[in-house]
Amino acid sequence: AAIEHVQPWVSLFANYATSFNPSTSQLRLDGSLVPSPISKGTDVGIRFYLFKDRVNVSFTRYEGQETAQPFEINFTNNIQDIALANKSGDTSADGMNQRGFPIVPRQAFDLRDRKNNGYEVEITANLTRHWRFTANAAKAEGYQTDAWRDTRAFLEKWKPVMRQAVIDSGNVFNASDLPVSDGTSSSVSPDATTARNAWLNIFRTQFPNIVSDPQKIPGLTEATANLFTDFQFSEGRLKGLRIGGGVNYRGRKVIAFRGGDTIQDPAQPNNFSSSGAIDDPNADAFTPVYSDPYVTATTTMSYTFRLKNNRSVALQLRVANLLDNSTPVYTGAT
């Protein structure tokens, strides 16, 4: 880290840092432990000290990258459903596929590399001796690269075997290459429907969004801002009372991608089943689904009682979500 005081009222700063997280007990698809992710980052900026240092303003530009960051695979249960699917005629409670398709950990993690950059601005001010103010805003970009490396390799290797296991359970693949019941209810496996639905979720909903090229990081909030101010009364009957309030803005957030979007097949205008749908050419794995921005407000109040021997007691009240915002906060979507 380095700081250069260009003038008494302005300084430049820069910082470079590296770090790693020790390997944890998180499992990969093959049952091995995830490796230790390694990261590095830089930030540079300028800071102003204004109005006799009562107001500080800073601007920061940052960049960072991380390798082998783990993230949870959200459809390992579907992979297990196919592995545990009995073949037709097998009604046992503990059966499984007869094709050698392995059972993966119920909770498994994949790896991705990540790059991010953005800008931040922050203002802190003592407007008067008893009036404080702070505000900040940030704009962020973040991309994952070489993501889903384990999952991509796993599905490429095992997809033909998984397909055969779905067929063995009492399904066939139609002209649209989608699994449907083979119609022989007397001999199908009790797991036929589960295996069929698992295949559809993996290869029709999830797999189209699994890419190795740079893709926005799921969960990325692209813009944030916060403002807060408070004032303390120093005389009169309200002496010792401090009141304050603020707002928090959260911009749109990436919650999913549209790689699995479909449209009605023009050649089958009256077929409203899954077999009558085709890929939407206007959306792909790089088209994000965003949640809407939202704003919350907070108010605070405190009162300090002065006691003997320089002691004091403070009572504090904080009302979060003052405007009763009930907008859903999405963490993902399919």
Side-chain angles (χ1 to χ4, degrees), residues 59 93 310:
F59 299 90
N310 293 322

Side-chain angles (χ1 to χ4, degrees), residues 63 110 118 121 240 306 331:
E63 293 183 355
D110 210 326
V121 57
R306 302 294 178 181
T331 59

Side-chain angles (χ1 to χ4, degrees), residues 161-182:
V161 179
M162 296 170 68
R163 180 188 181 97
Q164 192 59 54
V166 172
I167 294 173
D168 290 347
S169 67
N171 297 289
V172 295
F173 281 77
N174 62 16
S176 299
D177 202 32
L178 299 174
V180 295
S181 174
D182 67 6

Side-chain angles (χ1 to χ4, degrees), residues 258-276:
R258 297 193 177 277
D261 280 16
T262 59
I263 60 174
Q264 185 70 39
D265 185 354
Q268 305 180 68
N270 298 317
N271 182 358
F272 300 108
S273 68
S274 60
S275 62

Side-chain angles (χ1 to χ4, degrees), residues 84-216:
L84 295 173
N86 294 6
K87 66 177 182 179
S88 292
D90 182 359
T91 59
S92 63
D94 57 351
M96 60 181 297
N97 80 93
Q98 302 299 306
R99 299 287 176 172
F101 180 53
I103 299 176
V104 301
R106 174 64 69 169
Q107 184 181 41
F109 294 79
D110 210 326
L111 305 174
R112 65 186 173 195
D113 299 333
R114 185 176 71 171
K115 293 183 178 180
N116 58 279
N117 64 81
Y119 298 89
E120 297 177 347
V121 57
E122 183 173 15
I123 302 172
T124 58
N126 293 308
L127 301 176
T128 68
R129 183 178 178 184
H130 302 287
W131 184 13
R132 303 182 301 184
F133 172 86
T134 180
N136 58 68
K139 181 72 171 65
E141 289 188 2
Y143 293 88
Q144 59 183 20
T145 60
D146 195 20
W148 301 96
R149 59 191 76 166
D150 288 352
T151 304
R152 286 185 281 113
F154 181 90
L155 295 179
E156 180 180 359
K157 175 182 178 180
W158 289 104
K159 183 177 180 180
V161 179
M162 296 170 68
R163 180 188 181 97
Q164 192 59 54
V166 172
I167 294 173
D168 290 347
S169 67
N171 297 289
V172 295
F173 281 77
N174 62 16
S176 299
D177 202 32
L178 299 174
V180 295
S181 174
D182 67 6
T184 58
S185 59
S186 61
S187 63
V188 297
S189 159
D191 301 319
T193 300
T194 300
R196 183 167 66 246
N197 291 337
W199 175 277
L200 289 171
N201 187 51
I202 294 172
F203 292 105
R204 186 152 195 173
T205 302
Q206 303 291 346
F207 190 71
N209 291 313
I210 295 177
V211 293
S212 59
D213 293 334
Q215 182 189 54
K216 286 194 174 184

Side-chain angles (χ1 to χ4, degrees), residues 271-294:
N271 182 358
F272 300 108
S273 68
S274 60
S275 62
I278 62 173
D279 181 62
D280 184 352
N282 298 312
D284 58 24
F286 304 97
T287 308
V289 178
Y290 289 105
S291 65
D292 292 331
Y294 65 94

